[in-house]
Amino acid sequence: MAAFDPAVPCLFAGNAFRAPGSGAAFTVIDPASLETVGQAARCNASDVAAVVAEANAAQKAWKRLDAKSRAALLHRLADSIEQGDFHDVALLMVREMGKPYPEATGELANCAGIFRYYAEMARDEAGKVAGTTQAGSFQHSRYEPYGVSVHIMPFNFPILLMCWTVAASLAAGNACIVKPAEATTLCTLKFMEHFRVLAPGLVSCLPGGAETAQALIASKRTHAVAFTGSVAAGRKVAVACAERMKPCVIEAGGSDPMIISAHAPLDVAVPGAVTAAFHLSGQICTSAERFYVHEAVHDEFVGRFAEAAKKLRLGPGLGQTEIGPLVSAAARDKVIRLVDAAVAAGATAVCGGRVPPAFNTGWFYEPTVLTGVTPDMPIMQEEIFGPVAAVCKVASFEEALERANASDFGLGASVFTTSLAEAMKAAETLEAGMVWVNNPLIDNDALPFGGWKMSGLGRELGRQGLDAFRQSKMVIIDAEPAVQDWWYPYPDDWFYDGAGRRFEPTEE
């Protein structure tokens, strides 16, 4: 089969790369150098219809496959990922969205495990036998796949987050159609080569913009949707799915708080905070953006935090770099707007707060630590999605918890403390789908990932992540047919004549 060529616009369907029906394409730009990386297709409604039809045909055979055989194929897929060379996909990822090369290869190294996890998870439970409500009746529930699932992906972890939901959906018995982020179309298409171990049509990739995603959601022959992206786009996806009674999982980002307690171990908290705030240039949905620091350690923490931030190395992702560029000019413009507005309103940039003079080509921005921020500033209310930490001094742990919860978002929240009482109170009080104490940003294939409030609907990972792609069916079987005493016609003495008397039984 033909290998993927980033210079040729294509889609992936039927286990092959082929030209889109429309021929429309867009240029993919390196955000570090602004050089052209390749060409990506814009799939239209006819492409969507053709691929959806192929996916439905493939899914009919896949859903009939027994769980053991399905699991074996998912393990073969994991083998392909583990035994493959990460370099080509990682290189495209770096050049498309600026991720430092070690982080790109690290992302890919985590992909095989999720297919193995869900391969076995789907074998573990296929339904439930309930205690019967009637003697002689076998009463149970079973899980069935939805059919074809649509996966609308973000740019920041384009392969790993795709694998999270695709693995669960395949294990549940569905076929999958991936709509990659425009910024990371090429690395996603290259990764599709691994899915050739599965039947043609079972996993497809349709590049394009919002129109492609909308066509996939609107299709009557797609049956579930997984989305990761902004709140604005997530709301539109959720509404579109609700109008069609189509189940969806929405991960819509956040503005995560981090609390630095008076009892925080600063030797651990400082490097942990630097990583949580600036990893992937702050372009992680669970990045720590709002910092609430107890006044007893505020000055020392801020000083050490800023010094550590200044030591981070900026540059293109293929160099010795911790901080690469932001994904686009629009992304950097938003960061500049929020930082400049905060400084104008009285905040202080202890470090950063500018485009680095040495990297004025591409979409770079220096790691920035702001102090003196107040809750009314937009930077404390919007998702920054950039290398900025906004620090607010608090007088107590309780004030920190209250301010952390005063947000429309509720994805993750982090705390650094050596007080067990504070750790327990944070776990009970913080309004977020994930709480990290002394170890931010960690996820676990076996535990649910997702947010509260405006941060999303449903969960990825864990058993909930599998259940998101399957539906239950209650089944009642009476092996020995018998007339039941509650069936029609009712006995005469069951009726009421309206005068306080029951009807007398009819004489036969």
Side-chain angles (χ1 to χ4, degrees), residues 208-224:
E211 297 81 6
T212 306
Q214 290 163 1
L216 284 165
I217 296 170
S219 172
K220 292 183 178 180
R221 302 195 68 194
T222 64
H223 311 97

Side-chain angles (χ1 to χ4, degrees), residues 431-457:
E431 298 171 358
M434 283 113 25
V435 174
W436 297 280
V437 178
N438 298 331
N439 194 359
L441 302 185
I442 295 297
D443 54 60
N444 184 328
D445 291 350
L447 295 175
F449 184 100
W452 291 16
K453 299 187 276 190
M454 295 298 292
S455 288
L457 301 169

Side-chain angles (χ1 to χ4, degrees), residues 85-175:
D85 184 355
F86 294 160
H87 175 72
D88 290 343
V89 177
L91 182 60
L92 282 170
M93 193 186 303
V94 172
R95 296 189 64 208
E96 284 186 282
M97 56 80 63
K99 178 175 290 193
Y101 184 79
E103 295 174 18
T105 56
E107 173 179 345
L108 295 168
N110 282 307
C111 292
I114 192 66
F115 287 99
R116 298 198 190 283
Y117 174 79
Y118 278 122
E120 298 307 316
M121 173 67 77
R123 294 179 62 198
D124 181 63
E125 181 191 7
K128 173 185 177 182
V129 176
T132 186
T133 61
Q134 185 173 286
S137 182
F138 177 43
Q139 303 177 355
H140 67 285
S141 66
R142 55 182 293 153
Y143 290 116
E144 304 279 356
Y146 281 111
V148 174
S149 58
V150 174
H151 304 256
I152 303 170
M153 293 292 99
F155 71 85
N156 55 350
F157 289 92
I159 308 300
L160 181 62
L161 297 188
M162 175 190 70
C163 290
W164 281 8
T165 56
V166 166
S169 186
L170 287 171
N174 301 290

Side-chain angles (χ1 to χ4, degrees), residues 125 191 225 305 312 321 332 373 381 384 431 474:
E125 181 191 7
F191 188 83
V225 175
F305 187 30
L312 296 175
T321 298
R332 189 176 69 174
V373 297
Q381 299 170 357
I384 305 169
E431 298 171 358
M474 186 185 78

Side-chain angles (χ1 to χ4, degrees), residues 81-355:
I81 296 169
E82 288 176 340
Q83 295 166 9
D85 184 355
F86 294 160
H87 175 72
D88 290 343
V89 177
L91 182 60
L92 282 170
M93 193 186 303
V94 172
R95 296 189 64 208
E96 284 186 282
M97 56 80 63
K99 178 175 290 193
Y101 184 79
E103 295 174 18
T105 56
E107 173 179 345
L108 295 168
N110 282 307
C111 292
I114 192 66
F115 287 99
R116 298 198 190 283
Y117 174 79
Y118 278 122
E120 298 307 316
M121 173 67 77
R123 294 179 62 198
D124 181 63
E125 181 191 7
K128 173 185 177 182
V129 176
T132 186
T133 61
Q134 185 173 286
S137 182
F138 177 43
Q139 303 177 355
H140 67 285
S141 66
R142 55 182 293 153
Y143 290 116
E144 304 279 356
Y146 281 111
V148 174
S149 58
V150 174
H151 304 256
I152 303 170
M153 293 292 99
F155 71 85
N156 55 350
F157 289 92
I159 308 300
L160 181 62
L161 297 188
M162 175 190 70
C163 290
W164 281 8
T165 56
V166 166
S169 186
L170 287 171
N174 301 290
C176 303
I177 301 175
V178 175
K179 208 300 286 183
E182 291 180 80
T184 45
T185 295
L186 303 181
C187 64
T188 305
L189 282 166
K190 177 64 178 176
F191 188 83
M192 288 290 127
E193 292 175 344
H194 292 294
F195 291 105
R196 285 173 168 164
V197 304
L198 304 179
L202 202 53
V203 177
S204 306
C205 182
L206 281 173
E211 297 81 6
T212 306
Q214 290 163 1
L216 284 165
I217 296 170
S219 172
K220 292 183 178 180
R221 302 195 68 194
T222 64
H223 311 97
V225 175
F227 168 87
T228 301
S230 70
V231 170
R235 184 186 289 114
K236 292 178 181 178
V237 171
V239 169
C241 288
E243 288 176 342
R244 295 162 177 82
M245 298 294 283
K246 191 171 291 189
C248 61
V249 177
I250 306 292
E251 201 277 272
S255 176
D256 282 11
M258 176 176 282
I259 296 172
I260 306 297
S261 157
H263 306 290
L266 294 188
D267 287 345
V268 176
V270 169
V274 168
T275 302
F278 304 126
H279 188 69
L280 194 55
S281 300
Q283 297 173 118
I284 302 177
C285 54
T286 52
S287 291
E289 297 187 351
R290 298 178 291 132
F291 285 73
Y292 300 100
V293 183
H294 195 283
E295 60 187 9
V297 296
H298 176 272
D299 292 351
E300 181 181 1
F301 172 79
V302 168
R304 294 172 64 174
F305 187 30
E307 284 304 309
K310 292 175 185 176
K311 294 177 182 178
L312 296 175
R313 293 166 290 188
L314 279 73
L318 294 177
Q320 291 183 309
T321 298
E322 284 93 20
I323 305 296
L326 294 171
V327 71
S328 66
R332 189 176 69 174
D333 287 347
K334 179 181 181 181
V335 172
I336 292 172
R337 171 178 64 82
L338 290 171
V339 171
D340 288 354
V343 171
T348 299
V350 182
C351 69
R354 64 176 186 171
V355 173

